[in-house]
Amino acid sequence: MGLESLIKRAAKDVAKAKKVVALTGAGISVESGIAPFRGKGGLWEKFNPEEYAHINAFRRHPEKVWSVLLKDMFEVIKNAQPNPAHLALARLEKLGKLHCVITQNVDGLHQKAGNTDVIEFHGTLAWLVCLDCGKRFKTEEYKVKEMPPRCECGGVLKPDAVFFGEPIPVEALRRSQHEARTCDVMLVIGTSAVVYPAASIPSIAKNAGATIIEINPEATPLTGVVSDYIIEGNAGEVLPKIVDEVEKLLRAQE
Ligand code: OAD
C-alpha cells in the first residue's frame, strides 16, 4: 500500500473508532528541533545514558548531569514550539476524535499545542523537585543561581522527569494501562518502542482488540508484530494529512 492509501486507511480507522488514544515518543518533537534519544543525531550517541540519565548517576554527580546535559536540554525545550504533528493531534481532540495523549516526552509540547488530556508517562521538565524534602518548584519561575540548583533546605533539585532506575509515576501508569485497555485505535507516533514499560502500552491495547497504527519513518520492534500497519514518514507530514482526511469523513457523515 502506498503512503496516500495508508493515510486514507488510518483516517477511516480513526473516524469510525469510538475511542482513539495516541502514544507519542521523542520522534514527534524532532521537527520542533528537539533531538531524539536513539538513532542518528540522538542524545545517547553523545552521552552514555548510564552516566547521565540514571538516577544513581544523578545522585552521585548532580552537578555534572546538570551542567553537561540538563542545562542545554532546558534551553532547547524552553524555546521549542509545537510542530504540525503536535498541532494535528490537538485538532483531532477538537474534532472529538482523540481521547487522550500518552507521551513519553517531557517537553510539554502537546499541551502547548492545545491538547487538554496529556498523560506524562516519564514526567516533565516543567517542574523541579527537591531530592531531600520533596518540595516542588515551577521551572519557569525558578532562578538558577548555582550548579546543581538547590532547594531552600539545601537539597539538590532534580527535574520531575523519570530517570532510568526510577519508577513510572503511579497514576500515569495506571491511567495509561486503563486507556490502552479501553481504546479501539491507538496511534503510536515517533517512539522506538524499546523502553519499558512504555513500550508495553501498545501490546495492552492490541490484546484488548484495538487497531494499532504506527507513524514512524523507521520500523520498530512493534512493526509487523503488534502494530497492524506502519505509515513510514515524518509525523509532521503524515499526521496533518490523516486529520484532514478524518475531518472530510466526519463532515460527510453530518
Ligand atoms: P527514541 O529516541 O528512542 O526514538 C525516536 C523514534 O522516533 C525513532 O523510532 C525514530 O525512527 C522516530 N522518529 C524520528 N524522527 C521522526 C519524525 N520526524 N516523525 C516520527 N518519528 C520520528 O525516543 P523514545 O522512543 O521516545 O526515557 O524513547 C523512549 C525513552 O527513552 C524516552 O522517554 C527516554 C529515553 O531514554 C527516559 O529518559 C526514561
Side-chain angles (χ1 to χ4, degrees), residues 112-133:
K112 241 189 193 176
N115 279 107
T116 60
D117 191 355
V118 181
I119 303 172
E120 294 179 308
F121 202 85
H122 288 159
T124 174
L125 292 189
W127 290 86
L128 304 172
V129 55
C130 173
L131 286 181
D132 285 357
C133 73

Side-chain angles (χ1 to χ4, degrees), residues 79-91:
N79 298 317
Q81 294 305 322
N83 68 54
H86 299 103
L87 297 170
L89 288 185
R91 192 148 59 95

